[in-house]
Amino acid sequence: MKHRLLAQYPLALPGYQYLSILHESDNAIILLANNPSGSPVVIKRFKFDASHLPQDLINEFILESKALGLFAHRGLVQPLDAGIASGALYMIMEYVQGVTLRRHLATIGTPPLAQALQWFEEITLALGVIHGIGLLHQDLKTSNIIVRHDQSLALLDFGLEIRLLIASGFLREDEIYCTPYYISPERIIGDPPDERTDLYALGVILYELLVGHKPYESNTLSELLKKHAVAPIPRLPDNLSVYQPLIKGLLAKFPENRLQSANLVVRLLQEISQRVNAGSSIS
């Protein structure tokens, strides 16, 4: 499979040894490789022909990749480099060993409350870093989060390539680029995304971590989208009701009614935790 895909989508990076294909999507292949010094890295090689893209768009992608890489935040899979080779655009990222949060939850079920809240805070802080440099994630979901062996988390895919996918024809301007289980109501009707769009997906993840399933589920896409758009915000079980303000603030149907930033989400989480801890000490 590796040889077939590399023959179809070549990428000549001197000194890099390609080890295996980690994933293939409609628009990219993800390779595990050793860099020239022998350390493992992950390379995302886009399938579209970069020669047809505006140079300023390519330069913007490379600059944003390198800017995000400067933060070296543990909650983000760090971009290491980006460029063009063999007519293809690529991004080199650190190799983070672990499994996706989606797979981890499928294995362990609903995590203990303390673990769920710690994970939620880690995800929120990492999302705040992305938003802090003017980027959106646009595809936040449990399958884009890696659980390391020490149980810490790292976010994958930072929405850097959205404009490239549109310019290359892989994505229409009005096409929704996300997973239906995590889509915000405003994206369903075609409104442009902003930070609050990511925060809606964060709310879905919080509900999933606390309860063990997603807030809205359906066997059909149309019914699922309808639930996101008009169904009431689900209530948490009584033993978790103290966290309902977070769910309400993240899953509000209208962006203006949501918590407006990752920083505000963390602040509310800390306030709730302080009340919970104060109540425990009194009792």
Side-chain angles (χ1 to χ4, degrees):
M1 178 179 177
K2 179 185 74 172
H3 298 294
R4 177 183 61 81
L5 282 175
L6 285 175
Q8 187 175 2
Y9 303 106
L11 185 66
L13 292 178
Y16 283 82
Q17 178 189 6
Y18 302 128
L19 303 176
S20 63
I21 304 292
L22 296 177
H23 180 68
E24 181 187 10
S25 67
D26 289 339
N27 58 67
I29 58 173
I30 313 296
L31 298 147
L32 176 62
N34 282 337
N35 66 15
S37 65
S39 300
V41 294
V42 171
I43 302 174
K44 186 170 189 175
R45 192 274 194 207
F46 294 96
K47 292 181 176 179
F48 50 76
D49 185 354
S51 64
H52 299 311
L53 296 177
Q55 188 60 46
D56 60 339
L57 203 57
I58 294 173
N59 293 341
E60 189 174 305
F61 168 79
I62 293 173
L63 287 173
E64 287 179 347
S65 300
K66 293 181 177 180
L68 193 55
L70 292 175
F71 281 86
H73 190 279
R74 184 164 170 76
L76 301 173
V77 175
Q78 186 182 10
L80 302 174
D81 197 8
I84 294 180
S86 307
L89 197 64
Y90 67 88
M91 179 194 292
I92 301 176
M93 298 166 282
E94 68 169 319
Y95 174 50
V96 177
Q97 288 186 298
V99 299
T100 66
L101 181 57
R102 177 184 178 182
R103 180 176 296 181
H104 191 67
L105 292 176
T107 302
I108 69 168
T110 307
L113 179 60
Q115 180 70 85
L117 295 175
Q118 179 182 330
W119 279 342
F120 173 69
E121 185 171 9
E122 288 181 26
I123 297 166
T124 307
L125 290 171
L127 191 62
V129 172
I130 296 173
H131 291 171
I133 60 174
L135 299 176
L136 302 176
H137 192 289
Q138 298 197 58
D139 197 19
L140 188 63
K141 56 187 177 183
T142 53
S143 59
N144 273 340
I145 302 170
I146 296 293
V147 184
R148 296 187 181 90
H149 296 317
D150 66 0
Q151 299 300 292
S152 65
L153 301 183
L155 270 62
L156 288 165
D157 286 344
F158 316 118
L160 296 173
E161 67 262 25
I162 301 295
R163 292 186 298 276
L164 296 172
L165 295 177
I166 293 172
S168 65
F170 268 82
L171 198 67
R172 297 193 314 273
E173 187 78 47
D174 61 346
E175 191 171 355
I176 296 172
Y177 185 73
C178 61
T179 301
Y181 283 111
Y182 300 86
I183 188 173
S184 63
E186 67 271 18
R187 293 297 286 136
I188 295 173
I189 62 174
D191 287 349
D194 61 19
E195 293 181 8
R196 298 167 298 182
T197 307
D198 282 343
L199 294 176
Y200 184 90
L202 181 68
V204 174
I205 291 174
L206 173 60
Y207 192 91
E208 199 171 353
L209 288 171
L210 292 176
V211 180
H213 59 82
K214 297 175 180 66
Y216 304 114
E217 296 180 320
S218 177
N219 292 326
T220 67
L221 177 60
S222 60
E223 182 64 24
L224 178 60
L225 298 181
K226 181 179 179 181
K227 286 183 177 181
H228 279 294
V230 302
I233 297 172
R235 301 288 304 179
L236 291 171
D238 289 344
N239 63 315
L240 297 172
S241 60
V242 68
Y243 300 103
Q244 189 66 34
L246 275 168
I247 294 296
K248 180 180 178 182
L250 289 168
L251 294 184
K253 302 300 180 184
F254 297 102
E256 58 269 25
N257 294 335
R258 274 178 225 144
L259 292 163
Q260 297 294 293
S261 71
N263 288 339
L264 289 176
V265 175
V266 172
R267 188 182 307 170
L268 179 55
L269 174 63
Q270 292 172 344
E271 291 173 358
I272 293 172
S273 297
Q274 289 171 2
R275 291 201 299 270
V276 170
N277 292 335
S280 299
S281 61
I282 293 172
S283 60

